[in-house]
Amino acid sequence: MTHSGGGSVLKYCKRFLIFGIIAVLLSVPMALYAQQHTYINIKDPFIRKVPLAVSAFKPLSGTGAESLHGEMARTILVEGMAFTGYIDVMDSASFPERPAVSGITGAHLHFKKWTRMGAELLVTGGIIEQQGNIRLEMRLFDPFKEKLVVGKVYTGRASELRTMIHRFCGEISLYLTGKRGVFGSRIAFVSRVGGNKEIFISDFDGYAPRQETHHKSITLSPALSRDGRWLAYTSYVNGKPDIFVLNLKNRAKTTIAFKGMNITPAWVPGKFELMATLSLDGDQEIYLLSGKGNILKRLTRSWGIDVSPQVSPDGRKVAFVSRRGGSPQIYVKNLDTDGVMRVSFQGKYNTSPAWSPSGDKLAYVGIVKNKIDIYVTGFDGSAPMQLTRDQGDNEDPSWSPDGGFIVFSSTREGVSKIYVMTARGSEPRRLVNLPGAQTDPQWAPGYSN
C-alpha cells in the first residue's frame, strides 16, 4: 500500500488485519529529513517558537464516531505539541481554509494562504472508524516549501488513539529537532495513599497516573529501567528499608534485603544491573548489584556515608552524595580509573544528582541560605546555574529523555506536587492531579512508546 503527498485518500480496508499500532511511511525516509531540516535547538535559552497550524480531522467515511474521535485526536495533538515549549499552536479561528472539508492532501491545499497567516508548519489528518478500530492518516506540510515533509498511517483500536497521535508528535519532534522528544516516555513518582506512600507511573504529561505498588507502607526512590520493563524502589514493608525489583509486565518481584539499609536503587544503562546504597558492613556505601540482587562489586569506601548513586548515560561514571568532606556534596566516580572528584561547592548541603541524557550536565538539589532549590552544573562541577528560586522547596530533579525538560517536586503551592520546567528553568507547570503529596519523580530515560 503506497501513497504520496499529493495523492488521493487511501482506500479503506474493510477488515483490520493488524490490531497493533503500525506506522507506514508515506514520504521520504524520516532519517533523511531529520538530517536536512533540523533547525531547533531545544537547549537554546532564546528559543523561538514555531507557528504550527493543526486542522480539524477529516472523517473519511463521514460517520459521527469519526467526527468524535477526530476532535479527540486534534486535541491530543495540540496539547502534545504545546507541551514541547518550542511550538506555538495557532488559533483555528484564523485558518484560511478547512482541509477537513476541502481535502487533506497537498493537492487540495492552498499553501500561500497558510504562509500569509504565518503558519510555518501545517498538520492535516484523516480518520476512518469501524467497530472500534481506527485508521489515521497524518501529514505534516511545510507551507513555505509547499511540500509534504512527514506522512504516516496508524492503525489500532480506538483506545490507542492517544498513543497513535503521540507517535506522530514524536515524528514532528524528530523532523524539527533530530529527537523524538518526550512522547511515549513515562514518569514514576511517589504519592500518598491514605497514610502510606506508594509508587505511581504516569505518561510524560502526567496523564493517567497508575498505582504500581500496594505495600501499604513507606515506598520511595522509584527507578524505571531504560526499556521500561522494570521498576526498582525502596520499601519499608518488612520493617526496614529493602529494595524491590518489579517486572511491570508479569508482576514478578525480587527482594534485595541485606542486613541493614538497602536504599536508592539506580539502573545501569544497557544492563540488568543496579547500583544501590547498602549498609551491610555498618557504613552506607554504594554497591553494584545484579538485577536479581547479587552483589557484584563494592564501589565506594570512605569514612563518610555514600548514597544516592546515579549512573551516567554511557555507564562509565557514577554520581553520588557523600559526607567524606564533612557535609553532603555531589561527587563523580570514574568507573574506568576509580578516580573520584567533587563537583558541588556552593552551599553546605547538596544532594539528589541527576545526569542529563547527553551526560554533560548534572542537576542537583542545593541548600543555600536555607533555600532548597535545583541547580545544574557541568559533570566536572563547572558553571553551576540555579534553576528555581523563591518558590517553596524544590527537590528530586530528573531529566526528560531528550534533555529538554526537568521534572521535580515542589511545595510552591503548599503540599509537595510534581512539576516540569524546561532545562533552562523556565515555564514551570504542574503535572499530576492527585490528592495528597507527590515526591520523588523519575523520568524513564528511554523512549518507551
Side-chain angles (χ1 to χ4, degrees):
M1 193 181 302
T2 60
H3 185 50
S4 64
S8 61
V9 174
L10 283 169
K11 188 176 180 180
Y12 173 60
C13 295
K14 292 185 178 179
R15 292 191 62 187
F16 286 83
L17 301 179
I18 301 173
F19 296 97
I21 299 172
I22 300 175
V24 181
L25 193 62
L26 299 181
S27 59
V28 177
M30 270 306 308
L32 179 60
Y33 274 125
Q35 293 173 6
Q36 291 181 347
H37 295 274
T38 298
Y39 61 92
I40 292 180
N41 178 8
I42 59 176
K43 299 179 182 179
D44 185 350
F46 306 105
I47 194 169
R48 182 186 71 87
K49 293 190 177 185
V50 177
L52 168 69
V54 181
S55 73
F57 280 54
K58 182 178 179 63
L60 298 180
S61 297
T63 67
E66 289 175 357
S67 297
L68 176 62
H69 285 115
E71 291 176 6
M72 294 172 57
R74 184 183 184 278
T75 297
I76 294 168
L77 195 149
V78 166
E79 291 177 349
M81 295 315 301
F83 186 93
T84 66
Y86 56 77
I87 291 292
D88 179 18
V89 181
M90 307 183 77
D91 185 357
S92 60
S94 63
F95 288 179
E97 56 184 347
R98 300 169 61 195
V101 176
S102 57
I104 59 176
T105 67
H108 298 95
L109 298 171
H110 298 87
F111 291 114
K112 286 184 172 55
K113 291 183 178 180
W114 294 94
T115 58
R116 281 197 291 269
M117 68 166 285
E120 295 183 19
L121 294 172
L122 167 64
V123 171
T124 66
I127 184 168
I128 296 173
E129 190 276 340
Q130 186 182 56
Q131 298 179 348
N133 297 310
I134 284 179
R135 179 187 182 89
L136 291 177
E137 290 187 29
M138 303 295 301
R139 293 174 175 83
L140 175 68
F141 294 94
D142 183 330
F144 285 90
K145 296 179 180 178
E146 299 189 0
K147 65 188 296 185
L148 173 73
V149 292
V150 181
K152 292 282 184 176
V153 169
Y154 300 97
T155 306
R157 300 291 296 175
S159 60
E160 297 171 304
L161 180 64
R162 178 178 165 88
T163 303
M164 289 187 274
I165 292 297
H166 281 161
R167 282 206 170 180
F168 190 71
C169 289
E171 297 293 344
I172 297 174
S173 177
L174 181 62
Y175 170 74
L176 292 174
T177 71
K179 300 178 181 179
R180 292 190 182 276
V182 297
F183 304 104
S185 64
R186 297 184 294 170
I187 296 173
F189 59 92
V190 173
S191 183
R192 279 201 173 273
V193 179
N196 303 307
K197 293 184 178 181
E198 303 287 357
I199 307 296
F200 285 66
I201 296 177
S202 75
D203 290 355
F204 69 93
D205 54 359
Y207 181 82
R210 302 169 294 280
Q211 185 175 343
E212 298 290 349
T213 66
H214 298 82
H215 289 300
K216 297 181 179 180
S217 180
I218 298 174
T219 307
L220 305 168
S221 305
L224 276 167
S225 63
R226 185 171 295 270
D227 60 8
R229 295 175 56 195
W230 302 91
L231 172 67
Y233 57 91
T234 299
S235 181
Y236 286 74
V237 65
N238 295 325
K240 72 179 186 71
D242 293 325
I243 293 172
F244 294 81
V245 179
L246 175 66
N247 185 311
L248 292 172
K249 184 175 182 180
N250 63 23
R251 313 305 295 181
K253 190 185 303 176
T254 298
T255 304
I256 302 173
F258 293 100
K259 180 181 68 174
M261 301 175 66
N262 307 270
I263 59 175
T264 61
W267 290 100
V268 177
K271 298 181 180 180
F272 189 53
E273 294 177 356
L274 293 161
M275 290 187 188
T277 301
L278 310 179
S279 64
L280 71 169
D281 291 329
D283 194 18
Q284 296 177 40
E285 302 288 351
I286 295 170
Y287 291 77
L288 177 65
L289 310 173
S290 72
K292 295 184 177 181
N294 300 314
I295 294 178
L296 303 178
K297 187 178 182 180
R298 180 171 171 173
L299 297 176
T300 62
R301 295 177 184 273
S302 71
W303 68 267
I305 64 170
D306 298 316
V307 297
S308 303
Q310 290 292 315
V311 193
S312 64
D314 62 7
R316 302 179 66 178
K317 296 180 286 293
V318 56
F320 61 98
V321 179
S322 179
R323 283 185 176 270
R324 63 186 63 193
S327 64
Q329 299 292 341
I330 310 296
Y331 291 78
V332 171
K333 178 183 177 71
N334 187 311
L335 298 175
D336 295 329
T337 66
D338 286 335
V340 177
M341 64 177 178
R342 178 175 166 178
V343 299
S344 66
F345 297 93
Q346 184 178 6
K348 294 183 179 180
Y349 196 108
N350 295 288
T351 186
S352 302
W355 290 96
S356 66
S358 57
D360 61 337
K361 294 180 180 179
L362 282 166
Y364 65 94
V365 174
I367 301 180
V368 178
K369 297 181 180 180
N370 296 320
K371 301 287 188 179
I372 304 175
D373 282 300
I374 294 172
Y375 297 77
V376 168
T377 183
F379 77 90
D380 56 356
S382 61
M385 179 175 64
Q386 184 175 350
L387 298 187
T388 63
R389 64 180 71 243
D390 302 324
Q391 291 286 322
D393 296 336
N394 303 279
E395 302 180 83
D396 312 314
S398 179
W399 297 77
S400 65
D402 65 349
F405 297 96
I406 292 176
V407 66
F408 63 103
S409 64
S410 177
T411 61
R412 61 188 58 199
E413 293 180 84
V415 67
S416 181
K417 297 292 184 180
I418 305 299
Y419 296 81
V420 67
M421 61 183 169
T422 71
R424 307 176 300 277
S426 62
E427 301 182 41
R429 53 205 135 142
R430 182 172 157 185
L431 283 189
V432 180
N433 185 23
L434 286 174
Q438 288 83 52
T439 60
D440 291 20
Q442 192 257 343
W443 215 317
Y447 179 83
S448 61
N449 189 344

